[in-house]
Amino acid sequence: MGLLARKDLLGLKELSAEEIKLILETAVPFKDLFYRQIKKVPTLRGKSVFTLFYEPSTRTRTSFELAGKMLSADVSSLSVATSSVVKGESLEDTGKTLDAMGANVIIIRHTAAGSPHLLAKTVKASVINAGDGTHEHPTQGLLDLFTIKEKKGRIEGLKVVILGDAAHSRVAKSNIWGLIKLGAEVTVVGPPTLLPPGLEEMGAKVSYDLKTALKDADVINVLRIQLERQKKGLFPSQREYTELFGLTKDKLAFAKDDLLILHPGPMNRGLEISLEVATSKNAFIEEQVTNGVAIRMALLYLLTGGGKTDELID
């Protein structure tokens, strides 16, 4: 078992505040690697990491692969479209096959909620959830927390707005769990049709008025409108959605000057966020991608049981 004292990373709901803080602290020295001429350390030499993605991905998959390679792990990406999955192989059998190949970590993205949990019960390898249906996306939640702490110096006591399609967003759920555990005040904003039941039970507030929610917000995380997951009729038109809930320069007039703007990507520019806002001095969307690699390096390290954290990149 690794330094995280658990075999798998399946969601932020089951992590303690102390575990989340450990991950965030461990990511700090790994981010320093990006400013070195040689961006590689031998920390996980001899370890095998497999990515198993049943859904398309650019940022998450690539950053996990880069994270593993920067730690000197052997990284293999299983293409589901050309694997035995298309012949009907079950998730459990795929997992057992990767186990037999000596996998130390399996990173899975799946359309069905709970799939990483099923895989984790099947395999000896550590399993990392890279997004399961509309359930959770814990590593995105962690990199968002890392970015907030890096830019604001703290998370406790901050007022964070999560804007948009929370009903179809696994990112929103991971963010809420993580932010609440670390002491932030969370308000989820959007049209009623895109806000799922149960948000208050998670500890978040709900609002249907973006301008009011922006007034005292320290951070806003703009969710992607997931048109591919939605049924028609959840809002009258894209133009009306943008007018009411799109983050535009006009709406920023209601916010603090130092509002931190995040977006998990990929962006629907001109729909949930304007190009002008996405490229403004308040937005750190590209740095979120860099921070994602650092977080994923930290998780690979912690789950496989590395050495002392002060020796990570010596």
Side-chain angles (χ1 to χ4, degrees):
M1 184 148 319
L3 298 174
L4 200 55
R6 61 172 63 234
K7 183 175 83 74
D8 311 295
L9 190 282
L10 303 176
L12 296 194
K13 181 179 181 180
E14 52 233 44
L15 290 187
S16 66
E18 289 69 29
E19 287 175 304
I20 294 173
K21 289 176 183 176
L22 172 63
I23 297 166
L24 300 184
E25 290 166 2
T26 304
V28 173
F30 283 129
K31 187 174 180 181
D32 292 341
L33 275 177
F34 284 87
Y35 306 107
R36 293 189 173 196
Q37 188 172 0
I38 299 175
K39 298 176 175 62
K40 196 163 188 174
V41 290
T43 312
L44 296 189
R45 185 176 291 158
K47 301 287 186 181
S48 295
V49 176
F50 287 84
T51 61
L52 179 60
F53 278 56
Y54 290 77
E55 277 188 332
S57 171
T58 299
R59 291 160 183 77
T60 303
R61 183 171 189 159
T62 304
S63 65
F64 264 119
E65 292 172 355
L66 181 58
K69 290 174 182 176
M70 289 175 70
L71 291 170
S72 299
D74 297 315
V75 181
S76 300
S77 298
L78 183 65
S79 175
V80 171
T82 57
S83 74
S84 292
V85 171
V86 299
K87 301 177 183 178
E89 183 175 69
S90 69
L91 177 60
E92 295 99 318
D93 286 341
T94 299
K96 289 175 181 176
T97 299
L98 297 182
D99 248 357
M101 292 180 180
N104 296 106
V105 182
I106 301 172
I107 299 150
I108 179 173
R109 169 170 288 188
H110 204 286
T111 55
S115 296
H117 300 71
L118 174 62
L119 182 64
K121 293 177 181 178
T122 305
V123 300
K124 297 176 183 177
S126 292
V127 173
I128 299 177
N129 180 2
D132 59 328
T134 59
H135 176 234
E136 273 215 54
H137 192 347
T139 60
Q140 180 68 47
L142 288 165
L143 76 88
D144 291 343
L145 292 171
F146 184 87
T147 307
I148 292 169
K149 191 172 188 299
E150 185 180 57
K151 300 305 175 186
K152 292 294 186 180
R154 62 188 173 93
I155 294 175
E156 186 174 4
L158 292 181
K159 294 184 178 181
V160 181
V161 170
I162 296 176
L163 171 63
D165 189 4
H168 301 90
S169 175
R170 51 196 173 207
V171 173
K173 297 172 184 67
S174 290
N175 266 268
I176 293 170
W177 287 123
L179 288 163
I180 295 294
K181 287 174 188 286
L182 296 188
E185 180 182 306
V186 180
T187 301
V188 185
V189 180
T193 51
L194 293 182
L195 300 187
L199 292 172
E200 290 94 340
E201 286 78 0
M202 294 176 70
K205 298 178 180 179
V206 171
S207 173
Y208 309 112
D209 186 338
L210 176 56
K211 293 177 182 177
T212 300
L214 278 173
K215 287 181 180 177
D216 57 355
D218 300 294
V219 182
I220 185 166
N221 200 343
V222 185
L223 302 173
R224 181 173 68 88
I225 297 298
Q226 301 195 33
L227 299 172
E228 76 279 7
R229 295 182 190 273
Q230 292 181 8
K231 298 177 181 178
K232 292 183 179 180
L234 293 181
F235 47 85
S237 68
Q238 293 186 16
R239 180 177 179 181
E240 183 168 331
Y241 180 89
T242 300
E243 185 175 332
L244 293 174
F245 297 104
L247 192 62
T248 59
K249 184 179 179 181
D250 291 344
K251 295 195 186 74
L252 288 185
F254 294 87
K256 296 179 180 179
D257 290 338
D258 64 346
L259 176 71
L260 174 63
I261 300 169
L262 304 177
H263 191 299
M267 290 181 283
N268 295 305
R269 292 180 178 179
L271 179 52
E272 72 260 5
I273 189 169
S274 70
L275 174 61
E276 189 175 19
V277 171
T279 56
S280 69
K281 63 180 179 61
N282 295 71
F284 290 88
I285 297 167
E286 290 184 5
E287 193 161 355
Q288 283 177 270
V289 178
T290 303
N291 290 343
V293 179
I295 282 290
R296 286 157 183 144
M297 290 177 75
L299 283 170
L300 291 173
Y301 166 81
L302 290 169
L303 288 173
T304 55
K308 296 179 180 178
T309 54
D310 59 356
E311 298 173 353
L312 289 178
I313 58 173
D314 288 347

